[in-house]
Amino acid sequence: VIGVVIGKTDVRSFPDRKNIGTERYTFNFTIRDSPTYFINVQSWGREEYIRSLSESFRVGDCVTIENPLIQSKEAEREEKFNPVTPSCYKLLLSENHSVVRTSSCYDTDTRLLSLLHLPVKDPQDYYSLGDIVANGQSLHGRVLNVLAAVMSVSE
């Protein structure tokens, strides 16, 4: 699978239920290869493997993923913590079998670069900041999708 990384989480650790007293490490990222299709990728493993893999690319890089395991996703559980994707599957990376290589999007396919700027939600499923200000009371307690641009960043 070749795609551009459009999102990425930090590395996290969890107690390993099989080996008491040890930890398993994980991080997720999302890749996109067309305007319509993108998929979440999950990786689990030893700390050294996960940290090294996570540090090997960033959002905006093009990656090639070889030998991932394809799994059905548990939509309700997984989409709490990952972007909602149009696929009912996810990719799982294994330290022993999977390989992730980065390459320049220009070397791979310049069309992938334009995918970075496309929203992942239906354009009709957004509220503007003006709508939220005007209708704040009626929207109280609801989960909303907001499409906004950052105007400035400061301390």
Side-chain angles (χ1 to χ4, degrees):
V1 177
I2 299 173
V4 62
V5 178
I6 62 170
K8 183 177 166 188
T9 67
D10 292 329
V11 172
R12 300 181 320 267
S13 65
F14 297 93
D16 189 338
R17 285 183 254 156
K18 293 180 182 173
N19 299 314
I20 306 301
T22 63
E23 305 237 325
R24 291 183 70 204
Y25 287 77
T26 185
F27 84 102
N28 300 327
F29 60 100
T30 305
I31 62 168
R32 185 176 216 165
D33 67 356
S34 75
T36 310
Y37 295 105
F38 47 99
I39 193 165
N40 291 320
V41 183
Q42 189 174 49
S43 52
W44 285 90
R46 297 176 304 113
E47 180 177 14
E48 301 80 25
Y49 167 71
I50 294 299
R51 290 200 186 280
S52 173
L53 182 60
S54 176
E55 292 168 3
S56 71
F57 62 88
R58 61 181 191 249
V59 172
D61 286 347
C62 291
V63 295
T64 301
I65 300 173
E66 297 176 4
N67 297 321
L69 179 63
I70 300 169
Q71 286 188 330
S72 296
K73 68 181 178 185
E74 299 171 41
E76 190 171 306
R77 190 178 118 219
E78 292 181 31
E79 290 179 349
K80 276 185 188 176
F81 307 106
N82 295 303
V84 176
T85 63
S87 173
C88 56
Y89 301 100
K90 67 179 179 182
L91 302 180
L92 184 63
L93 300 181
S94 158
E95 183 174 359
N96 296 325
H97 302 288
S98 307
V99 176
V100 177
R101 288 193 320 267
T102 59
S103 60
S104 164
C105 285
Y106 292 109
D107 295 341
T108 310
D109 189 340
T110 54
R111 291 178 298 142
L112 290 176
L113 280 178
S114 65
L115 301 176
L116 274 173
H117 306 292
L118 293 177
V120 294
K121 293 279 191 173
D122 178 352
Q124 306 304 314
D125 192 24
Y126 290 107
Y127 282 82
S128 70
L129 295 177
D131 290 340
I132 294 169
V133 169
N135 303 302
Q137 273 310 106
S138 64
L139 300 173
H140 182 73
R142 291 188 49 204
V143 174
L144 305 175
N145 294 316
V146 178
L147 181 60
V150 176
M151 291 179 58
S152 68
V153 177
S154 63
E155 289 183 20

